[in-house]
Amino acid sequence: MWDERYSSTDFVYGEAPNEFLRDNVERLPVGRTLCLAEGEGRNAVFLAAAGHDVLAVDQSSVGLEKARRLAASRGVEIRTEVADLAIFDPGEAVWDAVVSISAHLPSIIRRDLHRRVARALRPSGVLILEAYTLAQHGTAGTGGPPPGQEDMLMSLAALREELADLEELHGVELVREVNEGAFHKGPGAVVQFIARRPAEG
């Protein structure tokens, strides 16, 4: 599915970064940064331009090839890795920042991934996440898993439980206007979450 979606010459989610990430980038420590489900690279390239050492991970080799081309066109470098997030090992105390934008997965996989992500952050490392909530199916916008795949949608309550080992810095569910390419357009019912791994005592 994703190779086919990304096979277009256009950037199907646009070339600009996610708005929530853009507005909160200063909250991320500049350093080794992991971008999950990064697709065509718009967020990774934005972070690389801001001085981050970025690894973009996605299951689509087609998307990541476009990400590398986008980086080259902007005069920055990113690293990429084709991986299944169900089994991807981000390591332990490796990353200064982790970015998860629209990384929708079945909840059983997501819960385990979030456990790995919390472990993979360095002390004082920060996670920033935005995803669609179940309320998206009641809006006129496009984006997020379709009806029938509600298990892939997220909520603030679920994130607080799944990422309980991190210190919450910001958490909210809201509807915002989204204009991110052809597939994320219109009112977006999203959850936004920023959390930090506690500093070692």
Side-chain angles (χ1 to χ4, degrees):
M1 169 190 169
W2 292 107
D3 280 351
E4 180 180 355
R5 176 164 292 186
Y6 295 142
S7 64
S8 166
T9 55
D10 295 331
F11 282 76
V12 297
Y13 296 107
E15 298 181 26
N18 169 267
E19 183 179 295
F20 178 58
L21 172 62
R22 182 199 67 200
D23 292 347
N24 289 278
V25 67
E26 292 184 358
R27 304 181 77 164
L28 297 178
V30 176
R32 296 193 67 193
T33 299
L34 174 65
C35 291
L36 299 171
E38 180 52 22
E40 299 167 305
R42 61 195 177 102
N43 299 312
V45 169
F46 166 73
L47 289 164
H52 292 253
D53 174 14
V54 180
L55 174 64
V57 175
D58 198 272
Q59 64 178 321
S60 172
S61 60
V62 175
L64 292 179
E65 172 59 30
K66 291 175 77 173
R68 292 190 293 272
R69 292 202 305 268
L70 181 62
S73 75
R74 301 286 175 83
V76 299
E77 292 185 6
I78 62 171
R79 293 174 292 121
T80 63
E81 182 176 339
V82 177
D84 179 352
L85 291 179
I87 58 174
F88 173 68
D89 181 6
E92 187 166 350
V94 173
W95 304 99
D96 298 291
V98 175
V99 174
S100 175
I101 303 297
S102 295
H104 297 103
L105 299 163
S107 61
I108 191 169
I109 295 174
R110 185 187 70 236
R111 286 193 295 269
D112 185 59
L113 174 64
H114 284 167
R115 176 187 59 78
R116 285 177 271 139
V117 164
R119 186 188 68 218
L121 283 166
R122 290 173 172 164
S124 299
V126 173
L127 164 72
I128 185 166
L129 179 152
E130 184 180 71
Y132 287 102
T133 69
L134 186 60
Q136 176 67 2
H137 291 168
T139 76
T142 61
Q149 296 183 8
E150 287 82 1
D151 185 56
M152 292 190 181
L153 296 162
M154 300 187 209
S155 70
L156 183 57
L159 290 174
R160 284 172 170 164
E161 180 180 345
E162 294 165 14
L163 295 161
D165 289 341
L166 303 181
E167 173 192 1
E168 181 179 333
L169 304 178
H170 172 84
V172 66
E173 292 184 12
L174 75 161
V175 176
R176 72 173 183 89
E177 194 67 22
V178 180
N179 185 18
E180 299 176 346
F183 291 95
H184 285 176
K185 189 176 292 291
V190 299
V191 56
Q192 298 175 337
F193 194 73
I194 303 174
R196 176 173 55 207
R197 181 171 176 175
E200 293 179 336

